[in-house]
Amino acid sequence: MENKVTFRNAERKDTGLILQFVKELAAYEDMSDDVIADESILETWIFDKQKAEVLFAVVDGTEVGFALFFHNFLGRAGLYLEDLFVMPEYRGKGYGKALLKKLASIAVERGCGRFEWVCLDWNKPSIDFYLSLGAEPQADWTIYRMSGDTLTKFAE
């Protein structure tokens, strides 16, 4: 790593910064139109309802990356990484790996049985990176999703 990285948990005052990272990740993934979050939504779900946590990677006093995660469950809690993003100018310096290692240590400290995330099929640089860490793709699983009107109508 070029400079020492430290980590800090997000606080309520960081809501705008979290939104900035979410939007930058969405732009990278060509999914900006899918972002429905605003500061109020993030504040409610992360800080009021405590349904997710955010960890920042900090270098020389600057937040250079973030991870948004929560727990899932399959007989034993797991740590699920929803979003991971390192600012482009800080990539290739080990900060993404450091974030993942920190999350892995959180999972171990909390007694989680696994650490999981998804990656877009076209994102070869990230896939290669994850494979280099020893992560294994779960080819037997397909993600299914209901959202918007479909979710609302199905719930009725």
Side-chain angles (χ1 to χ4, degrees), residues 27-114:
Y28 172 77
E29 293 177 333
D30 197 26
M31 299 178 75
S32 292
D33 292 342
D34 293 340
V35 175
I36 60 165
D38 60 23
E39 287 189 34
S40 175
I41 289 170
L42 291 174
E43 188 171 358
T44 297
W45 287 94
I46 295 170
F47 299 107
D48 296 337
K49 295 184 179 191
Q50 299 180 343
K51 297 299 182 185
E53 298 175 60
V54 174
L55 183 69
F56 290 113
V58 182
V59 176
D60 296 330
T62 300
E63 290 79 5
V64 302
F66 95 123
L68 188 148
F69 63 99
F70 53 88
H71 289 282
N72 57 13
F73 191 80
L74 184 63
R76 184 174 175 188
L79 194 139
Y80 186 84
L81 174 62
E82 179 68 28
D83 290 335
L84 176 75
F85 185 78
V86 174
M87 293 173 17
E89 60 270 31
Y90 290 95
R91 291 184 191 150
K93 299 178 182 185
Y95 303 131
K97 182 177 182 179
L99 259 171
L100 287 171
K101 284 181 73 86
K102 180 64 175 175
L103 291 169
S105 72
I106 290 169
V108 169
E109 287 169 15
R110 294 181 182 181
C112 295
R114 67 195 174 287

Side-chain angles (χ1 to χ4, degrees), residues 4-47:
K4 183 170 173 19
V5 63
T6 58
F7 303 97
R8 73 174 185 83
N9 294 316
E11 301 173 28
R12 190 176 295 271
K13 66 182 171 88
D14 295 314
T15 305
L17 181 59
I18 296 167
L19 182 59
Q20 175 187 331
F21 274 114
V22 166
K23 287 182 175 181
E24 288 188 38
L25 173 59
Y28 172 77
E29 293 177 333
D30 197 26
M31 299 178 75
S32 292
D33 292 342
D34 293 340
V35 175
I36 60 165
D38 60 23
E39 287 189 34
S40 175
I41 289 170
L42 291 174
E43 188 171 358
T44 297
W45 287 94
I46 295 170
F47 299 107

